[in-house]
């Protein structure tokens, strides 16, 4: 094993366990909110202290079954360094390449959550900038128009990574959503609010009445205001999620 990769004993550090708990909490809340799809979606996060190992869910387990200890540690070559099982093949080819190609992506959340995915299936820009929540993503999204089927090789993973550019969120046309974060909390916060923004837009469109977009000058100001408080808000949001889960599903942290 390369010297730059953490020795297995380092995987027992407190920071690594906390990352496991945080990521497991995201899986469980995604399950509670219906943001997952069977056993086919995946969330990953880099192992604290490493630039070559990442946590990801094992294939065959639903989001509502994920626990902190059940998460796998994988390297970019496809080896399972810690844990029982293997990652789903598309999870590995997408997430390994994202983390390898985009070091800023300390967390990468890929789901087929219904409302945001519905917008990814439509022609034109996915967000209409007509609701305040959507402005959280002003200037932060990209649309990946090149759906190529399942990601069964590293080439497709590299293509998806390249398509992200400097964006934090990708609407993957005809497919789903990818959210990148500099922390697990940041990725969770964006994933949650992206689906909420998409949900209210879908509801508004369902009335058959035209949307009323926000003036771009105001949208830019509001987006900047949101970004100022995002890191702390995201941290507190995830802490709230963990408190709720400790009440109703405490096994997630085991």
């Amino acid at each position: 094993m390369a010297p730059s990769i953490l020795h297995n004993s380092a995987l027992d550090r407190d920071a690594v366990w906390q990352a496991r708990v945080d990521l497991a909490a995201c899986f469980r809340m995604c399950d509670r909110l219906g943001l997952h799809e069977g056993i086919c979606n995946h969330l990953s996060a880099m192992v604290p202290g490493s630039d070559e190992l990442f946590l990801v869910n094992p294939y065959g387990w639903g989001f509502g079954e994920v626990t902190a200890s059940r998460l796998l540690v994988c390297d970019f070559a496809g080896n399972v360094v810690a844990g029982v099982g293997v990652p789903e093949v598309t999870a590995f080819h997408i997430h390994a390449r994202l983390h390898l190609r985009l070091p800023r992506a300390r967390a990468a959340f890929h789901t087929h959550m219904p409302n945001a995915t519905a917008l990814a299936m439509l022609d034109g820009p996915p967000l209409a900038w007509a609701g305040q929540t959507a402005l959280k993503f002003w200037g932060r999204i990209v649309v990946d128009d090149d759906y190529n089927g399942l990601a069964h090789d590293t080439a497709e993973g590299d293509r998806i990574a390249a398509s992200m550019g400097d964006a934090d969120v990708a609407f993957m046309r005809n497919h789903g959503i990818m959210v990148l974060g500099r922390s697990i909390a940041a990725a969770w916060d964006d994933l949650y609010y992206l689906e909420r923004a998409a949900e209210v837009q879908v509801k508004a469109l369902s009335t058959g009445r035209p949307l009323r977009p926000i003036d771009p000058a105001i949208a830019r100001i509001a987006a900047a205001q949101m970004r100022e408080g995002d890191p702390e808000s995201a941290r507190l949001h995830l802490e709230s999620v963990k408190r709720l889960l400790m009440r109703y599903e405490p096994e997630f942290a085991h």
Side-chain angles (χ1 to χ4, degrees):
M1 183 174 293
S4 58
I5 293 181
L6 293 178
H7 187 272
N8 277 355
S9 63
L11 297 177
D12 297 327
R13 291 184 297 112
D14 288 346
V16 177
W17 181 252
Q18 187 59 60
R20 284 180 171 274
V21 171
D22 288 353
L23 190 56
C26 295
F27 279 104
R28 289 299 185 101
M29 190 54 74
C30 279
D31 177 70
R32 291 177 73 89
L33 298 176
L35 306 186
H36 62 309
E37 188 172 63
I39 59 170
C40 299
N41 294 175
H42 11 90
L43 315 180
S44 66
M46 294 297 293
V47 170
S50 173
D51 292 325
E52 300 178 42
L53 298 174
F54 64 99
L55 293 160
V56 69
N57 45 314
Y59 180 54
W61 295 88
F63 276 24
E65 299 178 292
V66 172
T67 65
S69 59
R70 186 164 283 154
L71 292 166
L72 304 176
V73 176
C74 297
D75 64 20
F76 295 147
N79 300 307
V80 176
V81 176
V84 177
V86 296
E88 193 263 337
V89 63
T90 64
F92 173 74
H93 287 305
I94 293 174
H95 291 254
R97 307 311 284 183
L98 281 167
H99 291 304
L100 175 65
R101 300 296 184 190
L102 302 173
R104 64 187 174 84
R106 298 302 293 182
F109 289 9
H110 172 58
T111 74
H112 301 166
M113 53 193 189
N115 292 286
T117 300
L119 297 182
M121 295 165 60
L122 303 175
D123 281 334
L127 291 177
W129 312 118
Q132 176 175 282
T133 303
L135 299 183
K136 177 177 171 63
F137 304 100
W138 179 273
R140 301 177 57 216
I141 69 170
V142 69
V143 178
D144 177 11
D145 279 316
D146 300 320
Y147 177 69
N148 290 321
L150 303 185
H152 280 175
D153 54 45
T154 57
E156 180 62 6
D158 285 339
R159 188 200 66 74
I160 292 170
S163 76
M164 294 293 305
D166 295 326
D168 298 316
V169 174
F171 282 84
M172 305 167 76
R173 194 72 82 189
N174 311 114
H175 183 177
I177 303 300
M178 179 62 71
V179 173
L180 305 183
R182 297 183 183 278
S183 68
I184 293 171
W188 162 254
D189 199 56
D190 277 349
L191 188 80
Y192 172 84
Y193 283 110
L194 183 67
E195 179 66 357
R196 298 299 285 176
E199 181 180 10
V200 295
Q201 182 171 311
V202 169
K203 286 180 179 293
L205 288 170
S206 72
T207 68
R209 297 170 59 184
L211 295 176
R212 183 175 180 176
I214 297 167
D215 180 271
I218 300 299
R220 282 192 292 272
I221 292 171
Q225 291 171 329
M226 290 182 185
R227 280 194 290 272
E228 288 176 5
D230 265 358
E232 179 65 1
S233 179
R235 184 188 70 81
L236 292 173
H237 187 185
L238 184 55
E239 290 301 311
S240 173
V241 165
K242 289 187 289 185
R243 287 194 299 271
L244 288 170
L245 290 171
M246 287 303 295
R247 183 183 306 170
Y248 299 112
E249 303 179 40
E251 71 278 5
F252 88 93
H254 297 167

